[in-house]
Amino acid sequence: MVFKKFTDRLVSAGTTVANTLLHGPEQAEKIRQLESMGFPTERARHALDATGGDVDRAAELLLLGANEPQQHHHHQQQSAPPPARAAMSSSPARNNNRQNAGPAVAAQNDEQMRRAIDESMWVSQQEEARQLRQAEAASMKNNRKKKEVIDLTGDKKTTGTKKNKTNNPPKNTVKSAAAINAGNAAASRTNNNNHNKFAAQKNTLDQTHPNVRLPERLSNKTKEEQILRCANRVKPHVMAVDTLLRVLTSVRNMPDNAKFRIIDRTNGNYITFVRDTPGAEDMLLAMNYRMISCNNELRLERHMVDEALLYLGISALEQMRMTDEYKEGKRLRGFHAEMRRVAKGNGSPDVQRGGMTEGETAIRLGFLSKCPKEPPEGRGAWVNVQLGDVSENIVGGSVKRRFDGDDTLEDVLNWLGGSYGNEVLDKIRGTRREWCLCDLNRFPILPLDVEKHGKKTLQYLGLFPSGKLGVRLSDDAWRDRKEGSDTSGGFGIHGSARGLGAASRSMLH
């Protein structure tokens, strides 16, 4: 017995040394681990070769392939006659030689392992396909249940649903990642289809709000109503009214002259005053003008000239010239024309070439001599003054300078007189007060009483650390010095004070 153990140890050591020399130490260690589990060396080596050196998978393959030869060998022992069984039991050396018969046994082992690998892969694929089908069926079933309980009427009662009385416990099935992803994709497709179906069945406005009626399109109304509505829309725009009136009058007086019946839409004046004005181009279309896209023009054919429509359009535009909106627009247009004339005196090329008169030069120098010295860069605050509305883009109508917080409004006026002359100050300070100086940083815009607050500091007036002033046209209430006067229709509303230490709006107005 001792001699047998010693012999087994020698054989095991020799096998380990041989495996190390033939396959390397790492492969030999894996073979030794499989031998310690009870597997033959040759089968362990083939299993490792078949699994790419993975010990766990090699052990699984050996376990799958070990039962078949053992059962076959046991069946042979049970079916053999007693003499043969005795012979088999009495010749262990012969059986060992057969098991280690060489290449034939190795080939048989490899074939068994390949069959086991193929069978395992086929079983795994079948199981994954079954789980995928089961997940898709479950997702479709859940979506059908959700579809039954959707209620678009807002009624809390649901019909067509029954509670499942059988309380079957849920089945614990392990699903692969591929099956779960496939189920989610199927559920998403079903939900999208249901959403599109319900969106297509959405109620219209007539169904949800039967008493609401949308206004009819202007193009669907009669020609007379279109002309009257367009004339009413265009009345605040002075130049558009005058241009349309001039065109329609020319067509009525000389209908055979083609130049009055063709309007170039690329003309500068047409673009500025008519094309983008609300209602202007629609009124021309109501007069039977047609849009010619290829030439970008409006054309009125001779046979389409309707004297009744021309008479109606001219009469409507003449009535619009009598409205308050047109008159106010006319005043604003005249005011901005004066602002452009005043702005030309602020360093314009004409003034630089011809020079100012001695009297004008003396007046401007007198105003500038009363101004304090401008603070250096980094001190004080910028004060901007804009002549007219910013949208008018008046050339030379904007000036700016730095002032300290303790400088007064009178200092700003002297600087303004040195820039544009005494005409601006006379119309701001005069008895008529045709123009006013407004604080554009407040909302609503606040007109400043320069006579009352001329000695107040910029800090007190809310013009520090930044000031933005504008010269605007005064309204009747401001000219007459009435309480709550308002140059834009909203100055009577008191706003909040600007800046630390600034007076409230009610104190400045």
Side-chain angles (χ1 to χ4, degrees):
M1 186 68 178
V2 176
F3 180 75
K4 186 177 182 306
K5 291 182 179 180
F6 179 73
T7 304
D8 294 340
R9 290 180 181 178
L10 289 178
V11 173
S12 177
T15 304
T16 302
V17 172
N19 290 332
T20 303
L21 294 176
L22 292 176
H23 307 289
E26 184 178 358
Q27 187 74 2
E29 178 63 21
K30 295 179 180 179
I31 294 175
R32 189 189 63 77
Q33 292 179 7
L34 294 176
E35 286 180 349
S36 64
M37 298 179 187
F39 300 111
T41 303
E42 191 69 19
R43 296 189 63 190
R45 180 178 63 79
H46 286 290
L48 288 173
D49 292 340
T51 58
D54 192 340
V55 178
D56 296 334
R57 292 184 59 191
E60 293 178 0
L61 292 178
L62 290 172
L63 289 174
L64 291 174
N67 295 331
E68 183 177 353
Q70 289 180 1
Q71 293 177 0
H72 180 71
H73 179 69
H74 180 70
H75 179 72
Q76 287 181 351
Q77 289 183 350
Q78 294 295 333
S79 60
R85 188 181 306 170
M88 291 176 61
S89 61
S90 61
S91 56
R94 186 181 304 170
N95 292 334
N96 291 334
N97 293 332
R98 290 179 180 177
Q99 290 179 357
N100 300 325
V105 176
Q108 182 180 3
N109 294 336
D110 292 341
E111 183 65 23
Q112 292 177 355
M113 282 187 289
R114 280 195 296 272
R115 287 200 305 271
I117 292 172
D118 295 340
E119 183 178 359
S120 176
M121 292 178 63
W122 182 83
V123 171
S124 178
Q125 292 175 356
Q126 293 296 323
E127 179 65 17
E128 186 174 356
R130 185 187 64 79
Q131 292 178 359
L132 180 62
R133 290 192 298 269
Q134 185 178 359
E136 291 180 351
S139 63
M140 295 293 291
K141 183 178 180 180
N142 292 334
N143 290 328
R144 284 195 297 269
K145 290 182 178 180
K146 291 180 180 179
K147 182 179 178 181
E148 292 176 356
V149 299
I150 291 176
D151 186 9
L152 298 179
T153 62
D155 193 359
K156 295 183 179 180
K157 297 181 180 180
T158 56
T159 58
T161 58
K162 295 182 179 180
K163 296 183 178 179
N164 188 7
K165 297 182 179 180
T166 59
N167 298 324
N168 295 327
K171 297 181 180 179
N172 296 328
T173 57
V174 179
K175 298 181 179 180
S176 63
I180 295 175
N181 293 335
N184 293 336
S188 177
R189 289 194 299 271
T190 305
N191 291 333
N192 290 335
N193 293 334
N194 293 335
H195 177 72
N196 296 332
K197 181 178 180 180
F198 294 139
Q201 298 176 355
K202 187 177 180 179
N203 294 332
T204 61
L205 181 63
D206 294 336
Q207 296 174 348
T208 56
H209 300 80
N211 297 326
V212 175
R213 291 292 179 267
L214 294 177
E216 189 178 2
R217 294 174 61 91
L218 181 62
S219 58
N220 296 333
K221 297 181 180 296
T222 61
K223 293 286 186 180
E224 292 77 8
E225 188 171 359
Q226 291 182 39
I227 293 172
L228 294 177
R229 290 174 66 90
C230 291
N232 186 62
R233 293 184 65 190
V234 81
K235 65 183 177 182
H237 307 278
V238 177
M239 290 302 298
V241 173
D242 294 343
T243 303
L244 291 175
L245 186 59
R246 186 166 56 252
V247 169
L248 297 182
T249 304
S250 300
V251 173
R252 184 190 63 180
N253 296 334
M254 291 176 286
D256 295 329
N257 194 339
K259 72 175 184 179
F260 297 122
R261 293 185 283 107
I262 298 177
I263 300 175
D264 185 9
R265 298 183 75 248
T266 61
N267 182 271
N269 291 330
Y270 181 85
I271 295 174
T272 305
F273 303 121
V274 178
R275 191 183 68 177
D276 298 329
T277 302
E281 205 166 67
D282 292 333
M283 188 172 186
L284 293 174
L285 295 176
M287 292 289 178
N288 295 329
Y289 276 86
R290 292 187 303 128
M291 184 78 68
I292 307 300
S293 302
C294 58
N295 297 331
N296 198 10
E297 63 183 16
L298 291 173
R299 183 180 300 171
L300 176 61
E301 302 295 341
R302 179 62 183 88
H303 66 280
M304 296 295 293
V305 175
D306 191 333
E307 294 183 358
L309 294 179
L310 290 174
Y311 176 79
L312 179 61
I314 293 172
S315 301
L317 291 175
E318 288 178 347
Q319 292 179 2
M320 294 303 106
R321 298 178 74 175
M322 304 300 294
T323 60
D324 295 336
E325 291 87 347
Y326 179 86
K327 293 179 180 179
E328 183 64 24
K330 198 74 172 179
R331 290 180 61 244
L332 286 176
R333 181 165 179 79
F335 165 72
H336 286 112
E338 291 188 15
M339 289 291 100
R340 288 186 176 88
R341 178 182 55 80
V342 171
K344 289 181 179 180
N346 183 23
S348 64
D350 296 337
V351 175
Q352 292 177 2
R353 287 193 301 268
M356 292 183 293
T357 63
E358 293 182 2
E360 182 67 22
T361 303
I363 292 173
R364 294 197 180 193
L365 290 176
F367 282 123
L368 293 176
S369 63
K370 299 177 183 179
C371 292
K373 185 179 179 181
E374 183 175 2
E377 187 175 358
R379 284 182 49 193
W382 284 106
V383 174
N384 296 271
V385 179
Q386 177 71 40
L387 298 183
D389 195 86
V390 180
S391 61
E392 294 292 328
N393 297 322
I394 298 176
V395 179
S398 178
V399 290
K400 65 178 182 178
R401 182 186 184 275
R402 284 190 295 270
F403 286 91
D404 285 323
D406 55 354
D407 292 334
T408 63
L409 182 60
E410 188 70 25
D411 297 332
V412 176
L413 293 175
N414 290 329
W415 163 66
L416 192 60
S419 300
Y420 295 108
N422 60 347
E423 182 181 2
V424 176
L425 299 183
D426 290 342
K427 292 191 176 182
I428 292 177
R429 290 172 170 172
T431 56
R432 297 187 60 185
R433 298 207 297 185
E434 297 179 11
W435 303 342
C436 63
L437 188 65
C438 300
D439 184 1
L440 302 181
N441 278 332
R442 293 180 184 264
F443 182 80
I445 297 173
L446 175 68
L448 297 175
D449 192 340
V450 296
E451 297 174 354
K452 179 181 178 181
H453 303 295
K455 300 301 181 181
K456 299 294 192 309
T457 63
L458 300 181
Q459 179 80 30
Y460 178 84
L461 297 174
L463 301 176
F464 189 88
S466 64
K468 188 175 181 181
L469 301 173
V471 179
R472 298 295 177 88
L473 182 65
S474 301
D475 62 354
D476 295 336
W478 182 257
R479 286 194 299 269
D480 298 337
R481 291 176 171 80
K482 294 181 180 179
E483 291 294 332
S485 60
D486 195 340
T487 59
S488 68
F491 287 155
I493 304 174
H494 290 177
S496 60
R498 271 194 84 251
L500 182 63
S504 64
R505 184 185 183 92
S506 60
M507 296 175 64
L508 297 178
H509 190 62

